[in-house]
Amino acid sequence: MWLLYTLAFVQASIGTLFNPAKSALVPLVVPEEHLLSANTISQMSRVVAGLIGTATLGVIASFSEFLTEAFLLDAVTFAVSALWIQRISLRNTRAKAAADSQTSFTRDLVVGFQTILRSRTLVGVLLAGAIAMLGIGAVNVLMVPLVVDVLGASEAWFGALSGMQVAGMLLSGTVVAVLAQRFAPTRLVAGGLLGAGLSVAAVAIAGAPIQLGIVLFIVGVAVAPVQAGVATLAQTLVADELRGRVNSALNTVISLAMVVSQAFAGVLAASVGVRAVFVIGGGLTILAGVVSGALFAAGREPEPSTDTEREPQPETV
């Protein structure tokens, strides 16, 4: 077990570098007016790939006792992904040069937080993510006890329940991707959090797996626009050379909130019950939507630009 824990720690540590870099890279290859669509499609592709990977694992598991083939195949997919990423050509060579300069990890993180604090909208994204993760982190941990212990259902339901949530994400993601020009990222984030909070709280009244599946479908509908909206805001409100640092700062706070929530999930469930934790988690997510909506309203909406070479400037409070 110690080897598994070590590998998990190393994998998670290295993995934290990917998302900030990815978010910083997308605006360098996609025009600003298409960022919301691009981020939505990226989220959808990740979800679909996850389903395909799960199905593939099921097939491999039926023929392999130790799942060696599954881990080898997983490693190959990362190598293929890296090769394709290396083929990407950047539009903004100046930003690429800045990214290659020598910097300090601590200083970069501080600069990221300083950039966030200069923008009400980015502060709203930071607070929304932290507050929402305080609730949703515990919810994720307690989904298994809810299905098996509270609802008394078989573990076989997990595939169907996951599929329902993914279906909701694909539905809303498709709508946002097609009609991206009609949506403001700030409204997607605030509205999506409110919808997700109400849906998560509604999980507490589910009396059967099929009812839980319907609620999770609605959760998926609400969550996909939030993820795309957050990514788009972090890309459009931050200068190219600061974008990776801002995303790292955001991920640090949000991940810390999620870890704290997951750590106390079991204790909280033992004290107030599993269903009550879902109500609390939903309430925190609703609070995240309210807080972010208030800060977004006080800030300035990012305006889509047809000039793809214009460098976005961070807004000031």
Side-chain angles (χ1 to χ4, degrees):
M1 289 299 298
W2 70 266
L3 182 57
L4 290 177
Y5 282 119
T6 302
L7 289 174
F9 177 83
V10 173
Q11 182 187 29
S13 299
I14 297 175
T16 57
L17 303 176
F18 182 84
N19 286 331
K22 174 186 173 183
S23 184
L25 178 66
V26 172
L28 302 182
V29 295
V30 178
E32 184 177 333
E33 64 270 21
H34 298 309
L35 279 177
L36 183 56
S37 294
N39 288 317
T40 304
I41 293 172
S42 176
Q43 295 292 342
M44 291 170 59
S45 67
R46 180 179 61 83
V47 171
V48 171
L51 278 179
I52 296 174
T54 302
T56 303
L57 174 62
V59 174
I60 294 176
S62 63
F63 296 99
S64 174
E65 180 180 358
F66 298 105
L67 302 179
T68 302
E69 297 83 356
F71 287 104
L72 291 176
L73 178 61
D74 193 20
V76 170
T77 62
F78 278 97
V80 172
S81 175
L83 290 175
W84 280 102
I85 291 174
Q86 287 298 319
R87 295 169 57 89
I88 297 175
S89 59
L90 302 182
R91 292 187 299 106
N92 193 329
T93 56
R94 183 163 55 85
K96 181 181 179 182
D100 292 338
S101 62
Q102 295 293 325
T103 58
S104 163
F105 171 79
T106 304
R107 180 179 180 277
D108 285 349
L109 196 61
V110 171
V111 170
F113 281 114
Q114 290 174 340
T115 305
I116 291 172
L117 294 176
R118 287 196 292 267
S119 164
R120 282 194 180 95
T121 302
L122 291 178
V123 171
V125 170
L126 179 67
L127 292 179
I131 296 172
M133 281 302 104
L134 282 175
I136 294 178
V139 165
N140 290 336
V141 171
L142 296 176
M143 186 59 68
V144 173
L146 175 70
V147 173
V148 177
D149 299 331
V150 178
L151 298 182
S154 167
E155 294 88 345
W157 273 99
F158 284 110
L161 293 173
S162 177
M164 290 290 287
Q165 184 170 352
V166 168
M169 296 179 68
L170 292 178
L171 175 62
S172 63
T174 301
V175 172
V176 172
V178 173
L179 303 176
Q181 299 299 323
R182 301 185 181 183
F183 296 105
T186 50
R187 294 190 178 96
L188 288 177
V189 173
L193 287 171
L194 292 175
L198 290 171
S199 303
V200 169
V203 168
I205 63 175
I210 187 62
Q211 296 174 354
L212 178 59
I214 294 173
V215 175
L216 291 179
F217 175 83
I218 301 173
V219 171
V221 170
V223 166
V226 174
Q227 295 174 336
V230 166
T232 303
L233 288 172
Q235 292 163 352
T236 56
L237 297 178
V238 182
D240 293 337
E241 63 272 15
L242 296 175
R243 195 171 290 122
R245 304 170 195 179
V246 168
N247 279 285
S248 295
L250 289 172
N251 286 349
T252 298
V253 174
I254 292 173
S255 298
L256 179 61
M258 182 174 65
V259 169
V260 171
S261 179
Q262 291 176 339
F264 288 95
V267 176
L268 190 60
S271 301
V272 300
V274 173
R275 292 184 185 271
V277 175
F278 278 84
V279 175
I280 295 172
L284 286 172
T285 308
I286 292 173
L287 176 61
V290 173
V291 170
S292 62
L295 288 170
F296 293 160
R300 185 178 71 229
E301 290 282 346
E303 296 291 340
S305 172
T306 56
D307 181 5
T308 59
E309 296 300 319
R310 179 181 67 84
E311 182 173 328
Q313 298 297 322
E315 59 177 347
T316 57
V317 177

